[in-house]
PDB file of all heavy atoms in Angstrom:
ATOM      1  N   ARG A   1     197.128 175.548-101.555  1.00  0.00           N
ATOM      2  CA  ARG A   1     198.274 176.454-101.469  1.00  0.00           C
ATOM      3  C   ARG A   1     197.795 177.889-101.292  1.00  0.00           C
ATOM      4  O   ARG A   1     198.501 178.716-100.716  1.00  0.00           O
ATOM      5  CB  ARG A   1     199.145 176.333-102.722  1.00  0.00           C
ATOM      6  CG  ARG A   1     199.819 174.985-102.873  1.00  0.00           C
ATOM      7  CD  ARG A   1     200.547 174.816-104.199  1.00  0.00           C
ATOM      8  NE  ARG A   1     201.598 175.801-104.371  1.00  0.00           N
ATOM      9  CZ  ARG A   1     201.601 176.741-105.309  1.00  0.00           C
ATOM     10  NH1 ARG A   1     200.605 176.812-106.182  1.00  0.00           N
ATOM     11  NH2 ARG A   1     202.581 177.595-105.405  1.00  0.00           N
ATOM     12  N   SER A   2     196.570 178.199-101.784  1.00  0.00           N
ATOM     13  CA  SER A   2     196.002 179.543-101.642  1.00  0.00           C
ATOM     14  C   SER A   2     195.058 179.644-100.457  1.00  0.00           C
ATOM     15  O   SER A   2     194.974 180.697 -99.817  1.00  0.00           O
ATOM     16  CB  SER A   2     195.238 179.916-102.925  1.00  0.00           C
ATOM     17  OG  SER A   2     196.087 179.886-104.055  1.00  0.00           O
ATOM     18  N   THR A   3     194.332 178.577-100.161  1.00  0.00           N
ATOM     19  CA  THR A   3     193.273 178.652 -99.150  1.00  0.00           C
ATOM     20  C   THR A   3     193.689 178.147 -97.783  1.00  0.00           C
ATOM     21  O   THR A   3     193.005 178.413 -96.792  1.00  0.00           O
ATOM     22  CB  THR A   3     192.067 177.819 -99.599  1.00  0.00           C
ATOM     23  OG1 THR A   3     192.467 176.432 -99.687  1.00  0.00           O
ATOM     24  CG2 THR A   3     191.555 178.274-100.952  1.00  0.00           C
ATOM     25  N   GLY A   4     194.776 177.409 -97.710  1.00  0.00           N
ATOM     26  CA  GLY A   4     195.122 176.692 -96.495  1.00  0.00           C
ATOM     27  C   GLY A   4     194.658 175.252 -96.602  1.00  0.00           C
ATOM     28  O   GLY A   4     193.820 174.905 -97.436  1.00  0.00           O
ATOM     29  N   ALA A   5     195.194 174.408 -95.754  1.00  0.00           N
ATOM     30  CA  ALA A   5     194.917 172.972 -95.820  1.00  0.00           C
ATOM     31  C   ALA A   5     193.441 172.688 -95.575  1.00  0.00           C
ATOM     32  O   ALA A   5     192.738 173.453 -94.898  1.00  0.00           O
ATOM     33  CB  ALA A   5     195.767 172.231 -94.789  1.00  0.00           C
ATOM     34  N   THR A   6     192.971 171.576 -96.125  1.00  0.00           N
ATOM     35  CA  THR A   6     191.587 171.173 -95.904  1.00  0.00           C
ATOM     36  C   THR A   6     191.332 170.920 -94.419  1.00  0.00           C
ATOM     37  O   THR A   6     192.225 170.483 -93.688  1.00  0.00           O
ATOM     38  CB  THR A   6     191.257 169.896 -96.697  1.00  0.00           C
ATOM     39  OG1 THR A   6     192.151 168.845 -96.308  1.00  0.00           O
ATOM     40  CG2 THR A   6     191.370 170.137 -98.186  1.00  0.00           C
ATOM     41  N   CYS A   7     190.113 171.222 -93.990  1.00  0.00           N
ATOM     42  CA  CYS A   7     189.727 171.039 -92.580  1.00  0.00           C
ATOM     43  C   CYS A   7     189.317 169.588 -92.363  1.00  0.00           C
ATOM     44  O   CYS A   7     188.458 169.076 -93.090  1.00  0.00           O
ATOM     45  CB  CYS A   7     188.579 171.971 -92.232  1.00  0.00           C
ATOM     46  SG  CYS A   7     188.948 173.720 -92.535  1.00  0.00           S
ATOM     47  N   GLU A   8     189.923 168.939 -91.386  1.00  0.00           N
ATOM     48  CA  GLU A   8     189.718 167.506 -91.220  1.00  0.00           C
ATOM     49  C   GLU A   8     189.323 167.103 -89.800  1.00  0.00           C
ATOM     50  O   GLU A   8     189.618 165.988 -89.373  1.00  0.00           O
ATOM     51  CB  GLU A   8     190.996 166.756 -91.632  1.00  0.00           C
ATOM     52  CG  GLU A   8     191.430 166.962 -93.069  1.00  0.00           C
ATOM     53  CD  GLU A   8     190.455 166.377 -94.079  1.00  0.00           C
ATOM     54  OE1 GLU A   8     189.623 165.543 -93.670  1.00  0.00           O
ATOM     55  OE2 GLU A   8     190.515 166.765 -95.264  1.00  0.00           O
ATOM     56  N   ARG A   9     188.678 167.997 -89.052  1.00  0.00           N
ATOM     57  CA  ARG A   9     188.221 167.590 -87.716  1.00  0.00           C
ATOM     58  C   ARG A   9     187.296 166.378 -87.865  1.00  0.00           C
ATOM     59  O   ARG A   9     186.375 166.378 -88.687  1.00  0.00           O
ATOM     60  CB  ARG A   9     187.493 168.729 -87.034  1.00  0.00           C
ATOM     61  CG  ARG A   9     187.181 168.447 -85.571  1.00  0.00           C
ATOM     62  CD  ARG A   9     186.684 169.674 -84.849  1.00  0.00           C
ATOM     63  NE  ARG A   9     186.473 169.390 -83.437  1.00  0.00           N
ATOM     64  CZ  ARG A   9     186.117 170.287 -82.549  1.00  0.00           C
ATOM     65  NH1 ARG A   9     185.956 171.552 -82.933  1.00  0.00           N
ATOM     66  NH2 ARG A   9     185.937 169.960 -81.288  1.00  0.00           N
ATOM     67  N   SER A  10     187.554 165.342 -87.079  1.00  0.00           N
ATOM     68  CA  SER A  10     186.947 164.033 -87.326  1.00  0.00           C
ATOM     69  C   SER A  10     185.427 164.057 -87.303  1.00  0.00           C
ATOM     70  O   SER A  10     184.778 163.405 -88.141  1.00  0.00           O
ATOM     71  CB  SER A  10     187.475 163.007 -86.318  1.00  0.00           C
ATOM     72  OG  SER A  10     187.187 163.420 -84.990  1.00  0.00           O
ATOM     73  N   SER A  11     184.808 164.793 -86.387  1.00  0.00           N
ATOM     74  CA  SER A  11     183.344 164.803 -86.310  1.00  0.00           C
ATOM     75  C   SER A  11     182.734 165.442 -87.554  1.00  0.00           C
ATOM     76  O   SER A  11     181.740 164.953 -88.096  1.00  0.00           O
ATOM     77  CB  SER A  11     182.887 165.534 -85.048  1.00  0.00           C
ATOM     78  OG  SER A  11     183.412 166.864 -85.020  1.00  0.00           O
ATOM     79  N   GLY A  12     183.344 166.535 -88.027  1.00  0.00           N
ATOM     80  CA  GLY A  12     182.861 167.175 -89.248  1.00  0.00           C
ATOM     81  C   GLY A  12     183.138 166.343 -90.474  1.00  0.00           C
ATOM     82  O   GLY A  12     182.320 166.259 -91.401  1.00  0.00           O
ATOM     83  N   ARG A  13     184.303 165.686 -90.495  1.00  0.00           N
ATOM     84  CA  ARG A  13     184.649 164.806 -91.616  1.00  0.00           C
ATOM     85  C   ARG A  13     183.655 163.663 -91.752  1.00  0.00           C
ATOM     86  O   ARG A  13     183.270 163.268 -92.852  1.00  0.00           O
ATOM     87  CB  ARG A  13     186.058 164.257 -91.383  1.00  0.00           C
ATOM     88  CG  ARG A  13     186.627 163.344 -92.458  1.00  0.00           C
ATOM     89  CD  ARG A  13     187.013 164.106 -93.683  1.00  0.00           C
ATOM     90  NE  ARG A  13     186.023 163.945 -94.731  1.00  0.00           N
ATOM     91  CZ  ARG A  13     185.965 164.683 -95.818  1.00  0.00           C
ATOM     92  NH1 ARG A  13     186.814 165.681 -95.985  1.00  0.00           N
ATOM     93  NH2 ARG A  13     185.045 164.485 -96.725  1.00  0.00           N
ATOM     94  N   ALA A  14     183.206 163.143 -90.623  1.00  0.00           N
ATOM     95  CA  ALA A  14     182.229 162.054 -90.637  1.00  0.00           C
ATOM     96  C   ALA A  14     180.913 162.516 -91.259  1.00  0.00           C
ATOM     97  O   ALA A  14     180.263 161.762 -91.997  1.00  0.00           O
ATOM     98  CB  ALA A  14     182.002 161.531 -89.219  1.00  0.00           C
ATOM     99  N   VAL A  15     180.513 163.762 -90.980  1.00  0.00           N
ATOM    100  CA  VAL A  15     179.279 164.291 -91.564  1.00  0.00           C
ATOM    101  C   VAL A  15     179.427 164.425 -93.080  1.00  0.00           C
ATOM    102  O   VAL A  15     178.522 164.058 -93.845  1.00  0.00           O
ATOM    103  CB  VAL A  15     178.916 165.654 -90.933  1.00  0.00           C
ATOM    104  CG1 VAL A  15     177.692 166.257 -91.621  1.00  0.00           C
ATOM    105  CG2 VAL A  15     178.651 165.491 -89.442  1.00  0.00           C
ATOM    106  N   LEU A  16     180.553 164.926 -93.543  1.00  0.00           N
ATOM    107  CA  LEU A  16     180.773 165.076 -94.983  1.00  0.00           C
ATOM    108  C   LEU A  16     180.756 163.717 -95.680  1.00  0.00           C
ATOM    109  O   LEU A  16     180.167 163.568 -96.762  1.00  0.00           O
ATOM    110  CB  LEU A  16     182.111 165.773 -95.239  1.00  0.00           C
ATOM    111  CG  LEU A  16     182.212 167.249 -94.838  1.00  0.00           C
ATOM    112  CD1 LEU A  16     183.616 167.767 -95.098  1.00  0.00           C
ATOM    113  CD2 LEU A  16     181.182 168.096 -95.574  1.00  0.00           C
ATOM    114  N   ASP A  17     181.416 162.730 -95.062  1.00  0.00           N
ATOM    115  CA  ASP A  17     181.437 161.394 -95.660  1.00  0.00           C
ATOM    116  C   ASP A  17     180.045 160.772 -95.694  1.00  0.00           C
ATOM    117  O   ASP A  17     179.734 159.981 -96.591  1.00  0.00           O
ATOM    118  CB  ASP A  17     182.392 160.482 -94.875  1.00  0.00           C
ATOM    119  CG  ASP A  17     183.845 160.905 -95.012  1.00  0.00           C
ATOM    120  OD1 ASP A  17     184.147 161.658 -95.966  1.00  0.00           O
ATOM    121  OD2 ASP A  17     184.671 160.505 -94.177  1.00  0.00           O
ATOM    122  N   TRP A  18     179.218 161.121 -94.719  1.00  0.00           N
ATOM    123  CA  TRP A  18     177.860 160.578 -94.665  1.00  0.00           C
ATOM    124  C   TRP A  18     176.952 161.231 -95.707  1.00  0.00           C
ATOM    125  O   TRP A  18     176.155 160.556 -96.363  1.00  0.00           O
ATOM    126  CB  TRP A  18     177.281 160.793 -93.262  1.00  0.00           C
ATOM    127  CG  TRP A  18     175.862 160.317 -93.113  1.00  0.00           C
ATOM    128  CD1 TRP A  18     175.437 159.051 -92.856  1.00  0.00           C
ATOM    129  CD2 TRP A  18     174.683 161.138 -93.225  1.00  0.00           C
ATOM    130  NE1 TRP A  18     174.053 159.021 -92.801  1.00  0.00           N
ATOM    131  CE2 TRP A  18     173.568 160.281 -93.017  1.00  0.00           C
ATOM    132  CE3 TRP A  18     174.464 162.483 -93.465  1.00  0.00           C
ATOM    133  CZ2 TRP A  18     172.257 160.747 -93.065  1.00  0.00           C
ATOM    134  CZ3 TRP A  18     173.156 162.950 -93.521  1.00  0.00           C
ATOM    135  CH2 TRP A  18     172.064 162.082 -93.312  1.00  0.00           C
ATOM    136  N   ILE A  19     177.088 162.531 -95.882  1.00  0.00           N
ATOM    137  CA  ILE A  19     176.144 163.241 -96.741  1.00  0.00           C
ATOM    138  C   ILE A  19     176.550 163.243 -98.212  1.00  0.00           C
ATOM    139  O   ILE A  19     175.697 163.380 -99.102  1.00  0.00           O
ATOM    140  CB  ILE A  19     175.943 164.700 -96.257  1.00  0.00           C
ATOM    141  CG1 ILE A  19     174.627 165.255 -96.813  1.00  0.00           C
ATOM    142  CG2 ILE A  19     177.137 165.592 -96.635  1.00  0.00           C
ATOM    143  CD1 ILE A  19     174.252 166.602 -96.271  1.00  0.00           C
ATOM    144  N   ALA A  20     177.837 163.075 -98.533  1.00  0.00           N
ATOM    145  CA  ALA A  20     178.292 163.177 -99.922  1.00  0.00           C
ATOM    146  C   ALA A  20     177.553 162.229-100.863  1.00  0.00           C
ATOM    147  O   ALA A  20     177.052 162.660-101.909  1.00  0.00           O
ATOM    148  CB  ALA A  20     179.807 162.955 -99.998  1.00  0.00           C
ATOM    149  N   PRO A  21     177.453 160.925-100.565  1.00  0.00           N
ATOM    150  CA  PRO A  21     176.734 160.048-101.496  1.00  0.00           C
ATOM    151  C   PRO A  21     175.244 160.332-101.550  1.00  0.00           C
ATOM    152  O   PRO A  21     174.602 160.066-102.570  1.00  0.00           O
ATOM    153  CB  PRO A  21     177.020 158.639-100.941  1.00  0.00           C
ATOM    154  CG  PRO A  21     177.358 158.837 -99.514  1.00  0.00           C
ATOM    155  CD  PRO A  21     178.033 160.165 -99.436  1.00  0.00           C
ATOM    156  N   ARG A  22     174.665 160.859-100.495  1.00  0.00           N
ATOM    157  CA  ARG A  22     173.233 161.162-100.480  1.00  0.00           C
ATOM    158  C   ARG A  22     172.924 162.444-101.244  1.00  0.00           C
ATOM    159  O   ARG A  22     171.896 162.554-101.905  1.00  0.00           O
ATOM    160  CB  ARG A  22     172.751 161.297 -99.031  1.00  0.00           C
ATOM    161  CG  ARG A  22     172.772 159.978 -98.268  1.00  0.00           C
ATOM    162  CD  ARG A  22     172.646 160.197 -96.764  1.00  0.00           C
ATOM    163  NE  ARG A  22     172.529 158.934 -96.038  1.00  0.00           N
ATOM    164  CZ  ARG A  22     173.567 158.150 -95.754  1.00  0.00           C
ATOM    165  NH1 ARG A  22     174.793 158.505 -96.135  1.00  0.00           N
ATOM    166  NH2 ARG A  22     173.381 157.015 -95.098  1.00  0.00           N
ATOM    167  N   LEU A  23     173.837 163.391-101.156  1.00  0.00           N
ATOM    168  CA  LEU A  23     173.599 164.696-101.777  1.00  0.00           C
ATOM    169  C   LEU A  23     174.090 164.750-103.216  1.00  0.00           C
ATOM    170  O   LEU A  23     173.461 165.379-104.071  1.00  0.00           O
ATOM    171  CB  LEU A  23     174.308 165.778-100.950  1.00  0.00           C
ATOM    172  CG  LEU A  23     174.019 167.231-101.314  1.00  0.00           C
ATOM    173  CD1 LEU A  23     172.566 167.560-101.053  1.00  0.00           C
ATOM    174  CD2 LEU A  23     174.942 168.161-100.523  1.00  0.00           C
ATOM    175  N   ILE A  24     175.205 164.068-103.504  1.00  0.00           N
ATOM    176  CA  ILE A  24     175.822 164.186-104.828  1.00  0.00           C
ATOM    177  C   ILE A  24     175.783 162.851-105.565  1.00  0.00           C
ATOM    178  O   ILE A  24     174.979 162.645-106.455  1.00  0.00           O
ATOM    179  CB  ILE A  24     177.278 164.698-104.707  1.00  0.00           C
ATOM    180  CG1 ILE A  24     177.294 166.053-103.966  1.00  0.00           C
ATOM    181  CG2 ILE A  24     177.903 164.857-106.075  1.00  0.00           C
ATOM    182  CD1 ILE A  24     178.674 166.541-103.603  1.00  0.00           C
ATOM    183  N   ALA A  25     176.666 161.921-105.198  1.00  0.00           N
ATOM    184  CA  ALA A  25     176.711 160.616-105.872  1.00  0.00           C
ATOM    185  C   ALA A  25     177.636 159.697-105.089  1.00  0.00           C
ATOM    186  O   ALA A  25     178.469 160.161-104.299  1.00  0.00           O
ATOM    187  CB  ALA A  25     177.213 160.763-107.305  1.00  0.00           C
ATOM    188  N   GLU A  26     177.477 158.403-105.317  1.00  0.00           N
ATOM    189  CA  GLU A  26     178.385 157.446-104.709  1.00  0.00           C
ATOM    190  C   GLU A  26     179.815 157.752-105.152  1.00  0.00           C
ATOM    191  O   GLU A  26     180.074 157.997-106.324  1.00  0.00           O
ATOM    192  CB  GLU A  26     178.014 156.019-105.126  1.00  0.00           C
ATOM    193  CG  GLU A  26     176.763 155.479-104.468  1.00  0.00           C
ATOM    194  CD  GLU A  26     176.923 155.281-102.970  1.00  0.00           C
ATOM    195  OE1 GLU A  26     178.080 155.100-102.521  1.00  0.00           O
ATOM    196  OE2 GLU A  26     175.909 155.307-102.255  1.00  0.00           O
ATOM    197  N   GLY A  27     180.735 157.714-104.207  1.00  0.00           N
ATOM    198  CA  GLY A  27     182.137 157.978-104.533  1.00  0.00           C
ATOM    199  C   GLY A  27     182.525 159.438-104.477  1.00  0.00           C
ATOM    200  O   GLY A  27     183.707 159.768-104.619  1.00  0.00           O
ATOM    201  N   ALA A  28     181.551 160.324-104.265  1.00  0.00           N
ATOM    202  CA  ALA A  28     181.874 161.757-104.203  1.00  0.00           C
ATOM    203  C   ALA A  28     182.593 162.081-102.898  1.00  0.00           C
ATOM    204  O   ALA A  28     182.340 161.468-101.862  1.00  0.00           O
ATOM    205  CB  ALA A  28     180.609 162.594-104.329  1.00  0.00           C
ATOM    206  N   GLU A  29     183.508 163.042-102.964  1.00  0.00           N
ATOM    207  CA  GLU A  29     184.241 163.524-101.799  1.00  0.00           C
ATOM    208  C   GLU A  29     184.007 165.024-101.652  1.00  0.00           C
ATOM    209  O   GLU A  29     184.133 165.763-102.625  1.00  0.00           O
ATOM    210  CB  GLU A  29     185.749 163.293-101.945  1.00  0.00           C
ATOM    211  CG  GLU A  29     186.209 161.883-101.800  1.00  0.00           C
ATOM    212  CD  GLU A  29     187.738 161.786-101.881  1.00  0.00           C
ATOM    213  OE1 GLU A  29     188.401 162.836-101.773  1.00  0.00           O
ATOM    214  OE2 GLU A  29     188.238 160.670-102.075  1.00  0.00           O
ATOM    215  N   ILE A  30     183.664 165.469-100.457  1.00  0.00           N
ATOM    216  CA  ILE A  30     183.513 166.896-100.181  1.00  0.00           C
ATOM    217  C   ILE A  30     184.619 167.315 -99.214  1.00  0.00           C
ATOM    218  O   ILE A  30     184.817 166.663 -98.186  1.00  0.00           O
ATOM    219  CB  ILE A  30     182.139 167.211 -99.556  1.00  0.00           C
ATOM    220  CG1 ILE A  30     181.011 166.726-100.455  1.00  0.00           C
ATOM    221  CG2 ILE A  30     182.003 168.718 -99.307  1.00  0.00           C
ATOM    222  CD1 ILE A  30     179.632 166.834 -99.817  1.00  0.00           C
ATOM    223  N   HIS A  31     185.339 168.375 -99.551  1.00  0.00           N
ATOM    224  CA  HIS A  31     186.402 168.894 -98.696  1.00  0.00           C
ATOM    225  C   HIS A  31     186.119 170.355 -98.386  1.00  0.00           C
ATOM    226  O   HIS A  31     185.677 171.122 -99.256  1.00  0.00           O
ATOM    227  CB  HIS A  31     187.763 168.761 -99.383  1.00  0.00           C
ATOM    228  CG  HIS A  31     188.163 167.345 -99.628  1.00  0.00           C
ATOM    229  ND1 HIS A  31     188.838 166.580 -98.701  1.00  0.00           N
ATOM    230  CD2 HIS A  31     187.958 166.543-100.710  1.00  0.00           C
ATOM    231  CE1 HIS A  31     189.047 165.379 -99.188  1.00  0.00           C
ATOM    232  NE2 HIS A  31     188.526 165.316-100.403  1.00  0.00           N
ATOM    233  N   VAL A  32     186.350 170.739 -97.151  1.00  0.00           N
ATOM    234  CA  VAL A  32     186.151 172.122 -96.706  1.00  0.00           C
ATOM    235  C   VAL A  32     187.515 172.765 -96.499  1.00  0.00           C
ATOM    236  O   VAL A  32     188.411 172.156 -95.888  1.00  0.00           O
ATOM    237  CB  VAL A  32     185.331 172.160 -95.399  1.00  0.00           C
ATOM    238  CG1 VAL A  32     185.217 173.598 -94.882  1.00  0.00           C
ATOM    239  CG2 VAL A  32     183.941 171.572 -95.626  1.00  0.00           C
ATOM    240  N   VAL A  33     187.680 173.979 -97.020  1.00  0.00           N
ATOM    241  CA  VAL A  33     188.920 174.733 -96.827  1.00  0.00           C
ATOM    242  C   VAL A  33     188.615 175.986 -96.020  1.00  0.00           C
ATOM    243  O   VAL A  33     187.473 176.473 -96.019  1.00  0.00           O
ATOM    244  CB  VAL A  33     189.574 175.103 -98.182  1.00  0.00           C
ATOM    245  CG1 VAL A  33     190.053 173.857 -98.905  1.00  0.00           C
ATOM    246  CG2 VAL A  33     188.597 175.887 -99.063  1.00  0.00           C
ATOM    247  N   PRO A  34     189.597 176.549 -95.312  1.00  0.00           N
ATOM    248  CA  PRO A  34     189.333 177.692 -94.426  1.00  0.00           C
ATOM    249  C   PRO A  34     188.921 178.963 -95.151  1.00  0.00           C
ATOM    250  O   PRO A  34     188.192 179.781 -94.592  1.00  0.00           O
ATOM    251  CB  PRO A  34     190.658 177.893 -93.700  1.00  0.00           C
ATOM    252  CG  PRO A  34     191.424 176.632 -93.891  1.00  0.00           C
ATOM    253  CD  PRO A  34     190.974 176.057 -95.196  1.00  0.00           C
ATOM    254  N   ALA A  35     189.378 179.151 -96.382  1.00  0.00           N
ATOM    255  CA  ALA A  35     189.114 180.395 -97.102  1.00  0.00           C
ATOM    256  C   ALA A  35     187.929 180.233 -98.047  1.00  0.00           C
ATOM    257  O   ALA A  35     187.599 179.131 -98.465  1.00  0.00           O
ATOM    258  CB  ALA A  35     190.355 180.804 -97.904  1.00  0.00           C
ATOM    259  N   PRO A  36     187.271 181.338 -98.409  1.00  0.00           N
ATOM    260  CA  PRO A  36     186.147 181.263 -99.356  1.00  0.00           C
ATOM    261  C   PRO A  36     186.611 180.793-100.730  1.00  0.00           C
ATOM    262  O   PRO A  36     187.724 181.095-101.168  1.00  0.00           O
ATOM    263  CB  PRO A  36     185.632 182.711 -99.413  1.00  0.00           C
ATOM    264  CG  PRO A  36     186.157 183.369 -98.180  1.00  0.00           C
ATOM    265  CD  PRO A  36     187.465 182.707 -97.888  1.00  0.00           C
ATOM    266  N   VAL A  37     185.742 180.060-101.417  1.00  0.00           N
ATOM    267  CA  VAL A  37     186.023 179.629-102.796  1.00  0.00           C
ATOM    268  C   VAL A  37     184.876 180.055-103.710  1.00  0.00           C
ATOM    269  O   VAL A  37     184.673 179.473-104.762  1.00  0.00           O
ATOM    270  CB  VAL A  37     186.270 178.116-102.887  1.00  0.00           C
ATOM    271  CG1 VAL A  37     187.504 177.715-102.115  1.00  0.00           C
ATOM    272  CG2 VAL A  37     185.044 177.323-102.414  1.00  0.00           C
ATOM    273  N   ASN A  38     184.112 181.075-103.264  1.00  0.00           N
ATOM    274  CA  ASN A  38     182.986 181.578-104.052  1.00  0.00           C
ATOM    275  C   ASN A  38     181.953 180.480-104.267  1.00  0.00           C
ATOM    276  O   ASN A  38     181.619 180.120-105.385  1.00  0.00           O
ATOM    277  CB  ASN A  38     183.478 182.135-105.395  1.00  0.00           C
ATOM    278  CG  ASN A  38     182.385 182.875-106.144  1.00  0.00           C
ATOM    279  OD1 ASN A  38     181.369 183.251-105.564  1.00  0.00           O
ATOM    280  ND2 ASN A  38     182.584 183.078-107.436  1.00  0.00           N
ATOM    281  N   GLY A  39     181.461 179.913-103.179  1.00  0.00           N
ATOM    282  CA  GLY A  39     180.460 178.854-103.270  1.00  0.00           C
ATOM    283  C   GLY A  39     181.096 177.498-103.108  1.00  0.00           C
ATOM    284  O   GLY A  39     181.761 177.211-102.116  1.00  0.00           O
ATOM    285  N   ALA A  40     180.900 176.654-104.102  1.00  0.00           N
ATOM    286  CA  ALA A  40     181.513 175.322-104.120  1.00  0.00           C
ATOM    287  C   ALA A  40     182.112 175.093-105.494  1.00  0.00           C
ATOM    288  O   ALA A  40     181.645 175.651-106.491  1.00  0.00           O
ATOM    289  CB  ALA A  40     180.481 174.250-103.791  1.00  0.00           C
ATOM    290  N   ARG A  41     183.137 174.260-105.557  1.00  0.00           N
ATOM    291  CA  ARG A  41     183.802 173.960-106.821  1.00  0.00           C
ATOM    292  C   ARG A  41     183.851 172.451-107.022  1.00  0.00           C
ATOM    293  O   ARG A  41     184.175 171.700-106.106  1.00  0.00           O
ATOM    294  CB  ARG A  41     185.220 174.528-106.841  1.00  0.00           C
ATOM    295  CG  ARG A  41     185.301 176.041-106.658  1.00  0.00           C
ATOM    296  CD  ARG A  41     184.647 176.781-107.817  1.00  0.00           C
ATOM    297  NE  ARG A  41     184.690 178.223-107.625  1.00  0.00           N
ATOM    298  CZ  ARG A  41     185.136 179.088-108.541  1.00  0.00           C
ATOM    299  NH1 ARG A  41     185.571 178.632-109.706  1.00  0.00           N
ATOM    300  NH2 ARG A  41     185.130 180.375-108.289  1.00  0.00           N
TER     301      ARG A  41
END
């Protein structure tokens, strides 16, 4: 509601889905929003 909707372009979404379990943990979801969030949350 503050940052704008999550960015879901399919090619970028595929990269996030591929790297999330390798970088964080199985079942993790990474979402990108258009506005800054001071790093990652």
Side-chain angles (χ1 to χ4, degrees):
R1 294 173 60 245
S2 301
T3 63
T6 58
C7 303
E8 300 294 343
R9 189 170 183 176
S10 59
S11 57
R13 182 73 257 167
V15 175
L16 291 177
D17 293 342
W18 178 83
I19 200 173
R22 292 165 174 79
L23 189 65
I24 303 171
E26 287 293 335
E29 287 183 14
I30 303 172
H31 296 273
V32 176
V33 293
V37 296
N38 190 17
R41 301 295 178 129

